Protein backbone atom coordinates (compact mmCIF):
# COMPACT_ATOMS: atom_id res chain seq x y z
CA UNK A 1 0.00 0.00 0.00
CA UNK A 2 2.79 2.40 0.96
CA UNK A 3 4.74 1.69 -2.26
CA UNK A 4 1.56 2.22 -4.34
CA UNK A 5 1.09 5.64 -2.77
CA UNK A 6 4.72 6.58 -3.50
CA UNK A 7 4.40 5.33 -7.10
CA UNK A 8 1.20 7.33 -7.65
CA UNK A 9 2.80 10.45 -6.15
CA UNK A 10 5.87 10.12 -8.39
CA UNK A 11 3.79 9.56 -11.53
CA UNK A 12 1.65 12.59 -10.66
CA UNK A 13 4.75 14.74 -10.23
CA UNK A 14 6.21 13.55 -13.53
CA UNK A 15 2.97 14.10 -15.43
CA UNK A 16 2.72 17.64 -14.03
CA UNK A 17 6.14 18.53 -15.42
CA UNK A 18 6.01 16.49 -18.64
CA UNK A 19 4.18 19.25 -20.47
CA UNK A 20 7.29 21.40 -20.08
CA UNK A 21 9.20 19.29 -22.64
CA UNK A 22 9.36 20.49 -26.25
CA UNK A 23 9.49 23.78 -28.14
CA UNK A 24 8.38 27.12 -26.74
CA UNK A 25 8.49 30.79 -27.67
CA UNK A 26 7.73 33.97 -25.78
CA UNK A 27 8.35 37.59 -25.05
CA UNK A 28 9.09 39.85 -22.13
CA UNK A 29 9.26 43.49 -21.13
CA UNK A 30 11.38 44.98 -18.41
CA UNK A 31 13.99 47.39 -17.15
CA UNK A 32 17.72 47.28 -17.81
CA UNK A 33 20.24 48.81 -15.40
CA UNK A 34 23.62 50.30 -16.29
CA UNK A 35 25.92 53.26 -15.67
CA UNK A 36 26.58 53.80 -19.37
CA UNK A 37 26.62 57.46 -20.28
CA UNK A 38 26.97 59.02 -23.72
CA UNK A 39 29.22 61.67 -22.14
CA UNK A 40 32.23 61.29 -19.88
CA UNK A 41 31.80 64.90 -18.74
CA UNK A 42 29.56 64.19 -15.74
CA UNK A 43 30.05 67.75 -14.44
CA UNK A 44 27.96 68.98 -17.39
CA UNK A 45 25.68 66.02 -18.12
CA UNK A 46 23.42 63.82 -16.04
CA UNK A 47 22.65 60.33 -17.33
CA UNK A 48 19.79 57.87 -17.09
CA UNK A 49 20.68 54.68 -15.24
CA UNK A 50 17.77 52.57 -16.55
CA UNK A 51 16.36 51.70 -19.94
CA UNK A 52 13.08 50.17 -21.08
CA UNK A 53 13.64 46.77 -22.63
CA UNK A 54 11.84 44.02 -24.50
CA UNK A 55 12.84 40.51 -25.51
CA UNK A 56 11.70 37.75 -27.83
CA UNK A 57 12.80 34.18 -27.18
CA UNK A 58 12.52 30.66 -28.45
CA UNK A 59 13.72 27.47 -26.87
CA UNK A 60 13.55 23.75 -26.51
CA UNK A 61 13.29 21.73 -23.28
CA UNK A 62 15.01 18.36 -23.67
CA UNK A 63 13.62 17.23 -20.31
CA UNK A 64 11.34 18.93 -17.77
CA UNK A 65 14.52 20.21 -16.10
CA UNK A 66 17.03 21.11 -18.86
CA UNK A 67 16.83 23.00 -22.12
CA UNK A 68 18.34 25.62 -24.40
CA UNK A 69 17.02 29.09 -25.27
CA UNK A 70 17.89 31.87 -27.73
CA UNK A 71 16.89 35.50 -27.08
CA UNK A 72 17.00 38.79 -28.91
CA UNK A 73 17.01 41.58 -26.32
CA UNK A 74 16.60 45.30 -26.88
CA UNK A 75 18.22 46.55 -23.68
CA UNK A 76 17.09 50.14 -24.00
CA UNK A 77 18.42 53.62 -24.61
CA UNK A 78 20.48 55.47 -22.02
CA UNK A 79 20.10 59.22 -22.36
CA UNK A 80 22.45 62.05 -21.42
CA UNK A 81 20.85 65.35 -20.36
CA UNK A 82 22.61 68.68 -20.50
CA UNK A 83 22.49 69.82 -16.88
CA UNK A 84 23.36 73.38 -17.89
CA UNK A 85 20.31 73.94 -20.09
CA UNK A 86 17.61 71.30 -20.10
CA UNK A 87 18.12 69.35 -16.88
CA UNK A 88 17.03 65.78 -16.45
CA UNK A 89 13.41 66.67 -17.20
CA UNK A 90 14.24 68.32 -20.52
CA UNK A 91 15.24 66.95 -23.91
CA UNK A 92 18.08 64.45 -24.03
CA UNK A 93 21.20 65.51 -25.88
CA UNK A 94 22.34 62.00 -26.87
CA UNK A 95 21.58 58.31 -26.38
CA UNK A 96 23.43 55.04 -25.92
CA UNK A 97 21.49 52.11 -27.42
CA UNK A 98 22.19 48.47 -26.55
CA UNK A 99 20.98 45.17 -28.09
CA UNK A 100 21.93 41.58 -27.33
CA UNK A 101 21.64 38.11 -28.84
CA UNK A 102 21.86 35.39 -26.20
CA UNK A 103 22.13 31.61 -26.38
CA UNK A 104 21.78 29.96 -22.98
CA UNK A 105 21.37 26.59 -21.31
CA UNK A 106 18.36 26.59 -18.99
CA UNK A 107 17.58 24.65 -15.84
CA UNK A 108 14.19 24.33 -14.14
CA UNK A 109 13.74 23.08 -10.59
CA UNK A 110 11.13 20.60 -9.49
CA UNK A 111 7.88 22.32 -8.48
CA UNK A 112 8.50 24.41 -5.32
CA UNK A 113 4.89 25.52 -4.82
CA UNK A 114 1.85 24.58 -6.90
CA UNK A 115 2.70 25.35 -10.57
CA UNK A 116 5.76 27.43 -9.52
CA UNK A 117 9.36 26.64 -10.50
CA UNK A 118 12.78 28.24 -10.07
CA UNK A 119 14.54 28.79 -13.39
CA UNK A 120 18.20 29.45 -14.04
CA UNK A 121 20.20 30.16 -17.15
CA UNK A 122 23.83 30.31 -18.21
CA UNK A 123 24.93 31.33 -21.67
CA UNK A 124 26.82 33.60 -24.02
CA UNK A 125 25.63 37.10 -24.96
CA UNK A 126 26.73 39.06 -28.01
CA UNK A 127 26.12 42.72 -27.17
CA UNK A 128 26.04 45.62 -29.61
CA UNK A 129 26.22 49.24 -28.46
CA UNK A 130 25.83 52.43 -30.54
CA UNK A 131 26.41 55.92 -29.25
CA UNK A 132 25.89 58.84 -31.68
CA UNK A 133 27.85 61.99 -30.92
CA UNK A 134 28.00 65.39 -32.63
CA UNK A 135 30.96 64.30 -34.77
CA UNK A 136 30.70 60.48 -35.10
CA UNK A 137 28.93 57.36 -33.90
CA UNK A 138 30.88 55.35 -31.35
CA UNK A 139 30.23 51.61 -31.34
CA UNK A 140 31.21 48.68 -29.17
CA UNK A 141 30.73 44.93 -29.36
CA UNK A 142 31.14 42.57 -26.43
CA UNK A 143 30.83 38.82 -26.05
CA UNK A 144 30.15 38.02 -22.40
CA UNK A 145 28.96 35.23 -20.14
CA UNK A 146 25.27 35.80 -19.32
CA UNK A 147 23.52 34.27 -16.33
CA UNK A 148 20.13 34.65 -14.74
CA UNK A 149 17.73 33.45 -12.09
CA UNK A 150 13.96 33.71 -11.78
CA UNK A 151 10.56 32.17 -11.21
CA UNK A 152 8.14 30.55 -13.63
CA UNK A 153 4.44 30.05 -12.96
CA UNK A 154 2.52 27.67 -15.22
CA UNK A 155 -0.97 29.10 -15.82
CA UNK A 156 -1.87 26.10 -18.01
CA UNK A 157 -0.09 23.25 -19.81
CA UNK A 158 0.83 25.56 -22.67
CA UNK A 159 1.17 29.03 -21.06
CA UNK A 160 3.58 30.18 -18.35
CA UNK A 161 4.61 33.51 -16.84
CA UNK A 162 8.20 34.37 -15.96
CA UNK A 163 9.97 36.89 -13.76
CA UNK A 164 13.70 36.87 -14.52
CA UNK A 165 16.87 38.70 -13.46
CA UNK A 166 19.86 38.52 -15.83
CA UNK A 167 23.46 39.75 -15.67
CA UNK A 168 25.31 40.56 -18.91
CA UNK A 169 28.71 41.49 -17.46
CA UNK A 170 30.55 44.65 -18.51
CA UNK A 171 29.53 46.33 -21.78
CA UNK A 172 31.15 49.09 -23.83
CA UNK A 173 34.73 50.12 -24.55
CA UNK A 174 37.06 53.11 -24.14
CA UNK A 175 35.20 55.27 -26.67
CA UNK A 176 31.72 54.58 -25.24
CA UNK A 177 32.61 54.06 -21.54
CA UNK A 178 32.08 50.73 -19.84
CA UNK A 179 29.59 49.55 -17.24
CA UNK A 180 28.08 46.38 -15.82
CA UNK A 181 24.60 45.67 -17.20
CA UNK A 182 21.68 43.74 -15.73
CA UNK A 183 18.05 43.22 -16.69
CA UNK A 184 14.78 42.45 -14.88
CA UNK A 185 11.86 41.22 -17.02
CA UNK A 186 8.31 39.92 -16.82
CA UNK A 187 7.11 37.77 -19.68
CA UNK A 188 5.00 34.97 -21.08
CA UNK A 189 6.05 31.76 -22.79
CA UNK A 190 3.88 29.52 -24.96
CA UNK A 191 4.73 25.81 -24.91
CA UNK A 192 3.99 23.46 -27.83
Amino acid sequence: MKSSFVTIALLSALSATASAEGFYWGGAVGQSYSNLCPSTDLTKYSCARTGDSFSVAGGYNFTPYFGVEANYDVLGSYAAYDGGSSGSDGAATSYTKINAIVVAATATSPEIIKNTFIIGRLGVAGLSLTQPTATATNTASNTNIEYGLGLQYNFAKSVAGRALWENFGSVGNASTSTSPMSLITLGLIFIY
Side-chain angles (χ1 to χ4, degrees), residues 65-184:
Y65 306 108
F66 298 102
V68 65
E69 183 173 298
N71 298 53
Y72 176 72
D73 300 320
V74 174
L75 295 170
S77 296
Y78 289 80
Y81 301 94
D82 186 340
S85 62
S86 62
S88 61
D89 59 345
T93 57
S94 62
Y95 295 90
T96 299
K97 297 180 181 181
I98 307 153
N99 299 324
I101 295 175
V102 183
V103 177
T106 60
T108 305
S109 74
E111 192 174 51
I112 57 170
I113 308 172
K114 184 171 174 58
N115 297 329
T116 305
F117 306 84
I118 296 172
I119 54 173
R121 51 186 289 134
L122 177 64
V124 176
L127 296 122
S128 171
L129 186 149
T130 58
Q131 192 178 75
T133 67
T135 57
T137 298
N138 296 325
T139 61
S141 295
N142 304 100
T143 302
N144 295 342
I145 297 295
E146 177 267 357
Y147 57 91
L149 189 63
L151 290 175
Q152 178 171 309
Y153 181 81
N154 291 355
F155 297 109
K157 277 180 117 177
S158 59
V159 181
R162 280 188 180 176
L164 187 63
W165 168 83
E166 295 173 78
N167 185 303
F168 291 92
S170 183
V171 299
N173 60 22
S175 66
T176 63
S177 77
T178 59
S179 173
M181 171 155 281
S182 61
L183 175 66
I184 294 175

Side-chain angles (χ1 to χ4, degrees), residues 1-108:
M1 178 74 168
K2 196 179 219 182
S3 64
S4 298
F5 178 73
V6 171
T7 304
I8 291 169
L10 283 173
L11 289 174
S12 297
L14 289 173
S15 67
T17 57
S19 65
E21 292 181 35
F23 289 100
Y24 64 89
W25 65 274
V29 295
Q31 194 83 71
S32 60
Y33 299 88
S34 177
N35 287 323
L36 283 169
C37 189
S39 173
T40 55
D41 184 1
L42 297 182
T43 59
K44 183 176 179 184
Y45 294 96
S46 62
C47 290
R49 302 293 184 223
T50 61
D52 296 330
S53 70
F54 70 89
S55 305
V56 292
Y60 184 81
N61 286 327
F62 300 104
T63 74
Y65 306 108
F66 298 102
V68 65
E69 183 173 298
N71 298 53
Y72 176 72
D73 300 320
V74 174
L75 295 170
S77 296
Y78 289 80
Y81 301 94
D82 186 340
S85 62
S86 62
S88 61
D89 59 345
T93 57
S94 62
Y95 295 90
T96 299
K97 297 180 181 181
I98 307 153
N99 299 324
I101 295 175
V102 183
V103 177
T106 60
T108 305

